[in-house]
Amino acid sequence: MTSDVSVGVLLADPEEPVRTGLRAVLDADPGITVLGEAADGDAVPGLVTRLRPEVVLADVRMPAVDGGTAARALLRRPGPPRVLVLTTFGHDRYVLDALCAGAGGFLLKRTPPRDVVRAVHTVAAGESLLFPAAVRELVAGFATDDGDRLAAAGLTAREGGVLRLMARGLSDAEIAGELALGVGTVTTDVAAVLAKTGSRGRTQAVVAAYSSGFVDPRFPVR
């Protein structure tokens, strides 16, 4: 995937070889520019202010400030960058914390280079990198503090149905096909779901749906 405008990326990982490898992978794509690197999460806010990246690619486990804490701090800012977190193990509480904070998704460190590039472009475009099964397992394995978040959201019956299909990882077009609606109508419904649940993207909304019990994380969504 290429773009006329390069996507600026900030890398944050405590291991220099990991940062070097990621820089090589991302800089090889003409649509991506690595603007800088950080060895810990505490350096990320200052670098974001100075470099203005579109995407921050951060390890979830760093010595002083973990990726979830860094994501939460960044996403409270006006006009924040998109955050994509890296992890060695998918079943990690730190990953769930980052997703709850509004990170656009996560990648395993063994992800093939082409998929890392695709993921950066995906989140830079404002989309979520959503793996429904992985999110369901995370929420089922760790307690969250979402409580009655969905109950208080005031979703209509159709919006609730749209959210359940979002939890299956369906796109707007696929949801439209399932519900016999126009794609524009579904896009409007998705925007309403995000607004009512206070979610920054599909992943955060799906995490909220599972963690609140609106969708049972113990079972695949049908």
Side-chain angles (χ1 to χ4, degrees):
M1 180 176 180
T2 60
S3 173
D4 293 334
V5 178
S6 185
V7 175
V9 176
L10 173 65
L11 300 176
D13 192 287
E15 299 180 26
E16 185 175 358
V18 173
R19 299 197 307 272
T20 299
L22 287 169
R23 178 182 279 273
V25 166
L26 296 175
D27 275 343
D29 185 273
I32 297 174
T33 301
V34 177
L35 301 176
E37 301 178 14
D40 206 338
D42 58 358
V44 170
L47 287 171
V48 167
T49 297
R50 180 162 61 87
L51 300 174
R52 301 284 185 181
E54 283 77 37
V55 176
V56 175
L57 185 56
D59 192 335
V60 292
R61 291 179 178 264
M62 293 183 280
V65 178
D66 64 78
T69 301
R72 188 169 285 103
L74 289 176
L75 295 169
R76 288 190 185 118
R77 295 178 168 205
R82 299 283 289 172
V83 177
L84 186 60
V85 293
L86 290 165
T87 181
T88 303
F89 305 104
H91 194 67
D92 190 326
R93 176 61 197 243
Y94 286 89
V95 173
L96 181 57
D97 288 346
L99 297 180
C100 287
F106 72 94
L107 292 172
L108 296 176
K109 288 192 174 183
R110 62 178 180 268
T111 299
R114 66 181 181 278
D115 292 335
V116 174
V117 169
R118 185 179 300 116
V120 168
H121 282 295
T122 296
V123 298
E127 301 172 18
S128 295
L129 195 68
L130 179 58
F131 303 109
V135 172
R136 187 175 64 245
E137 289 172 8
L138 278 170
V139 175
F142 300 105
T144 65
D145 58 3
D146 270 315
D148 295 326
R149 181 176 174 185
L150 265 292
L155 298 180
T156 66
R158 192 172 74 196
E159 290 164 353
V162 166
L163 179 54
R164 288 186 176 89
L165 293 174
M166 289 167 60
R168 284 171 50 187
L170 272 61
S171 68
D172 288 5
E174 290 167 335
I175 293 172
E178 287 275 339
L179 299 180
L181 297 170
V183 174
T185 299
V186 171
T187 299
T188 299
D189 287 340
V190 170
V193 168
L194 300 186
K196 289 183 178 181
T197 61
S199 302
R200 295 182 180 277
R202 295 171 94 97
T203 300
Q204 195 178 20
V206 168
V207 169
Y210 283 133
S211 59
S212 67
F214 184 81
V215 177
D216 193 330
R218 296 172 299 173
F219 305 102
V221 179
R222 298 298 179 187

